């Protein structure tokens, strides 16, 4: 489990972006190790250690591993049972002038941990930019449907009306929190520096003949396994957001109100040819659950780091960290693909509103009767009786809601019959939802995406095409 093969993951080979897959590839990892050894040698030379210019030059010229060097490293590791030392020897073969000073004074964690910190920071950058593009896409959707009334649900039971755009802002709000959390995690990442085996820097103090100032110049920050938990926490939270969004879309697909993209030649079911299963949203839910669980692994690893250091973290971190970032990357790209092809069916939405709105409009009808001089209690009783009759038609006989027809047929409501159409206009039931969408996009989304990094990401964001 300690070999370079453990850095490979099946997720990277098919679904993740090229950038994220490359970041956690063996080639990138061992290039970064060599870059760290080079920087260590340069720093030690500048501080007075006898390291030749030729050694530095040979290291600079051989940062990228060839296929032959990968084979050498694999053989060395099989012999030495130590991945870092296998790569020290492999690097020394192509940079012979530096063979004696590569990894000088350092411990394995100097390259493994510092490389991981670099990958965490760069990986968060990829996710932050991808998340910005997703927020931008969903914001365009919210703006387009800012005032399209739709039935709102609480407990997945019909509630008051909202708008399609307003519902989308609920998704975006959580994504904005995820964006904040990912940026905070990236900003908090430091660099491990050079501490030695137990963090005392004894080996470096010996190298510099007891010169504490030179050792401090060589050093920076430490890397606790708690950093893994702090980074995977925001990723897990992003997974929860993605799961909620994809679940909403799956439920809306069942209602036939909104559907994810579905190609003309796509097959929804091998048995039922008519089906249009929300496979993209299902994939998001599936991977999001995996992403949420990975945080627990990091928490458990952090909790069992005995005293100064142990090594039962190594094998699982080589799986957990790449998988978390690759999974988050796939979740975001899939959500972007969904957001770029969402299909809205206004007539289906209108029909469902028509089935529920008569009951919701009863209070408006009662108030209208009162304004015309009627008695509130009497009007309430009339509406109550007619509502139960209409409810019987719907629930017991499977017919349409005919409450409004019953109201039109009752002479008691003659004073307001001319006003019924306006009293039943869905737009009058959505409150400030359209204005809330406008305000949210202006006051929260636009400022969140205003910094140069995110503006550039949105401007360059390509439409995501999923191969499967």
């Amino acid at each position: 489990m300690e070999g370079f093969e453990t850095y490979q993951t099946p997720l990277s080979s098919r679904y993740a972006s090229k950038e994220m897959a490359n970041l956690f590839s063996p080639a990138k990892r061992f290039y970064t190790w060599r870059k760290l050894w080079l920087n260590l040698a340069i720093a030690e030379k500048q501080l007075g250690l006898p390291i030749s210019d030729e050694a530095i030059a040979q290291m600079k010229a051989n940062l990228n591993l060839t296929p032959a060097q990968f084979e050498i490293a694999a053989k060395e590791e099989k012999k030495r049972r130590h991945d870092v030392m296998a790569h020290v020897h492999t690097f020394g073969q192509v940079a012979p002038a530096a063979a004696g000073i590569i990894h000088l004074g350092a411990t394995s964690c100097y390259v493994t941990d510092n490389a991981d910190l670099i990958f965490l920071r760069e990986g968060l950058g990829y996710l932050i930019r991808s998340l910005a593009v997703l927020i931008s896409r969903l914001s365009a959707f919210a703006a387009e449907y800012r005032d399209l009334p739709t039935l709102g649900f609480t407990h997945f039971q019909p509630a008051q009306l909202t708008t399609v755009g307003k519902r989308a802002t609920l998704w975006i709000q959580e994504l904005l929190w995820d964006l904040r959390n990912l940026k905070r995690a990236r900003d908090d990442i430091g660099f491990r520096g050079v501490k030695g085996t137990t963090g005392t820097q004894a080996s470096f103090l010996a190298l510099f003949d007891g010169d504490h100032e030179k050792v401090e110049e060589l050093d920076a920050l430490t890397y606790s396994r708690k950093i893994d938990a702090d980074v995977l926490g925001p990723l897990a939270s992003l997974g929860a957001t993605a799961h909620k969004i994809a679940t909403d879309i799956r439920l809306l697909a069942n209602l036939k109100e909104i559907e994810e993209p579905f190609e003309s030649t796509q097959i929804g079911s091998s048995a039922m040819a008519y089906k249009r299963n929300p496979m993209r949203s299902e994939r998001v839910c599936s991977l999001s659950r995996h992403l949420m669980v990975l945080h627990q692994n990091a928490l458990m690893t952090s909790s069992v780091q005995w005293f100064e250091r142990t090594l039962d973290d190594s094998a699982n971190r080589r799986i957990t960290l790449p998988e978390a970032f690759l999974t988050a990357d796939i979740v975001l790209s899939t959500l972007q693909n969904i957001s770029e092809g969402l299909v809205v069916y206004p007539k289906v939405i209108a029909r469902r509103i028509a089935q529920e709105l008569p009951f919701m409009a009863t209070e408006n009808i009662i108030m209208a009767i009162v304004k015309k001089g009627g008695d509130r209690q009497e009007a309430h009783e009339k509406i109550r009786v007619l509502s139960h009759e209409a409810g019987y038609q719907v629930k017991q006989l499977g017919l349409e809601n005919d409450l409004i027809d019953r109201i039109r047929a009752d002479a008691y409501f003659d004073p307001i019959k001319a006003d019924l159409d306006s009293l039943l206009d869905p737009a009058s039931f959505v409150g400030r939802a359209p204005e809330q969408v406008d305000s949210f996009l202006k006051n929260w989304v636009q400022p969140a995406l205003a910094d140069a990094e995110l503006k550039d990401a949105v401007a360059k964001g390509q439409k995501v095409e999923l191969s499967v």
Side-chain angles (χ1 to χ4, degrees):
M1 289 297 293
E2 295 302 318
F4 74 88
E5 294 85 359
T6 61
Y7 292 101
Q8 303 179 63
T9 169
L11 284 173
S12 66
S13 63
R14 190 167 186 180
Y15 297 119
S17 66
K18 291 181 179 179
E19 294 82 2
M20 192 67 80
N22 176 68
L23 182 62
F24 289 98
S25 68
K28 178 70 171 181
R29 175 165 296 275
F30 301 128
Y31 164 86
T32 305
W33 284 13
R34 290 188 173 187
K35 193 72 178 291
L36 287 164
W37 281 320
L38 169 63
N39 290 336
L40 176 62
I42 291 173
E44 289 174 334
K45 176 179 174 61
Q46 290 175 348
L47 292 171
L49 293 186
I51 297 173
S52 68
D53 291 337
E54 183 181 9
I56 300 296
Q58 288 182 2
M59 293 174 76
K60 285 183 179 179
N62 291 281
L63 294 177
N64 290 297
L65 282 76
T66 64
Q69 289 176 49
F70 271 106
E71 292 181 9
I72 293 171
K75 292 178 181 177
E76 289 283 347
E77 182 175 349
K78 187 175 182 180
K79 178 174 63 176
R80 302 176 188 279
R81 312 303 296 176
H82 197 290
D83 57 343
V84 172
M85 289 308 298
H87 279 272
V88 168
H89 283 273
T90 302
F91 197 12
Q93 290 188 30
V94 293
I101 56 92
I102 295 172
H103 198 67
L104 183 61
T107 186
S108 297
C109 286
Y110 166 70
V111 286
T112 58
D113 285 9
N114 279 327
D116 283 342
L117 289 168
I118 291 170
F119 301 148
L120 293 180
R121 185 173 179 81
E122 290 188 19
L124 286 169
Y126 290 140
L127 296 180
I128 287 166
R129 292 186 287 275
S130 295
L131 184 51
V133 175
L134 173 60
I135 291 170
S136 174
R137 299 292 194 267
L138 284 175
S139 295
F141 177 83
E144 180 178 358
Y145 294 101
R146 60 183 287 280
D147 57 359
L148 179 61
T150 190
L151 184 62
F153 295 93
T154 59
H155 316 279
F156 201 28
Q157 301 299 312
Q160 294 181 343
L161 298 191
T162 182
T163 69
V164 172
K166 167 67 173 176
R167 177 176 283 150
T169 63
L170 301 182
W171 302 338
I172 298 167
Q173 177 175 259
E174 294 195 7
L175 292 172
L176 287 177
W177 291 333
D178 292 319
L179 180 66
R180 174 202 63 193
N181 293 341
L182 292 178
K183 293 176 75 172
R184 284 177 176 173
R186 182 178 65 174
D187 292 344
D188 283 346
I189 292 178
F191 206 57
R192 185 182 189 279
V194 285
K195 286 292 193 293
T197 304
T198 60
T200 64
Q201 300 176 310
S203 58
F204 293 100
L205 191 63
L207 280 174
F208 291 106
D209 298 322
D211 191 326
H212 289 268
E213 291 185 3
K214 287 187 177 181
V215 174
E216 289 181 359
E217 285 184 56
L218 195 62
D219 189 31
L221 299 173
T222 59
Y223 180 9
S224 163
R225 292 297 175 254
K226 192 168 179 64
I227 291 177
D228 294 347
D230 290 346
V231 170
L232 265 57
L235 267 61
S237 183
L238 172 63
T241 301
H243 199 291
K244 185 264 192 291
I245 295 172
T247 299
D248 283 355
I249 294 172
R250 292 167 67 188
L251 294 172
L252 290 168
N254 174 264
L255 298 175
K256 297 180 175 60
E257 294 188 4
I258 293 179
E259 287 183 341
E260 65 179 36
F262 197 94
E263 277 75 26
S264 60
T265 58
Q266 182 174 332
I267 296 175
S269 168
S270 61
M272 294 161 282
Y274 63 87
K275 293 192 74 178
R276 293 168 65 99
N277 297 335
M279 51 84 72
R280 291 170 171 83
S281 298
E282 290 172 332
R283 180 185 298 171
V284 169
C285 289
S286 178
L287 292 174
S288 293
R289 288 197 296 272
H290 180 59
L291 182 57
M292 288 185 275
V293 169
L294 290 174
H295 183 219
Q296 185 65 29
N297 191 315
L299 290 172
M300 289 189 289
T301 297
S302 176
S303 71
V304 295
Q305 292 304 291
W306 301 346
F307 299 111
E308 284 69 39
R309 184 161 61 88
T310 184
L311 198 60
D312 65 345
D313 64 323
S314 179
N316 76 38
R317 292 180 69 252
R318 298 182 189 212
I319 301 170
T320 301
L321 294 179
E323 278 199 2
F325 279 85
L326 292 164
T327 303
D329 180 74
I330 300 165
V331 165
L332 287 175
S333 63
T334 308
L335 272 180
Q336 182 184 329
N337 172 265
I338 294 170
S339 70
E340 291 170 341
L342 282 173
V343 181
V344 179
Y345 296 106
K347 291 184 179 179
V348 177
I349 293 173
R351 182 185 180 193
R352 181 158 284 105
I353 290 174
Q355 292 171 337
E356 301 292 341
L357 191 59
F359 294 133
M360 298 178 187
T362 54
E363 186 66 20
N364 286 5
I365 294 171
I366 292 172
M367 291 300 100
I369 283 288
V370 172
K371 288 182 180 179
K372 296 288 186 177
D375 180 88
R376 196 259 178 207
Q377 301 309 115
E378 185 178 4
H380 183 278
E381 180 60 18
K382 286 281 188 179
I383 287 287
R384 187 190 69 81
V385 172
L386 295 180
S387 295
H388 282 283
E389 292 174 356
Y392 179 85
Q393 298 293 309
V394 174
K395 296 178 180 179
Q396 299 298 328
L397 303 180
L399 301 175
E400 296 295 325
N401 187 335
D402 64 355
L403 176 59
I404 301 305
D405 292 336
R406 292 176 182 277
I407 290 173
R408 291 186 190 279
D410 192 320
Y412 177 81
F413 296 98
D414 285 348
I416 64 161
K417 286 178 181 177
D419 302 323
L420 280 176
D421 287 341
S422 61
L423 291 174
L424 291 167
D425 181 5
S428 67
F429 288 83
V430 300
R432 296 191 63 254
E435 292 74 21
Q436 286 177 325
V437 172
D438 297 338
S439 176
F440 177 75
L441 296 179
K442 177 182 177 182
N443 297 327
W444 293 97
V445 175
Q446 292 179 14
L449 303 183
D451 71 69
E453 178 188 17
L454 301 190
K455 286 178 65 177
D456 184 63
V458 171
K460 293 180 178 178
Q462 299 291 317
K463 187 174 181 179
V464 171
E465 301 289 347
L466 297 183
S467 57
V468 291

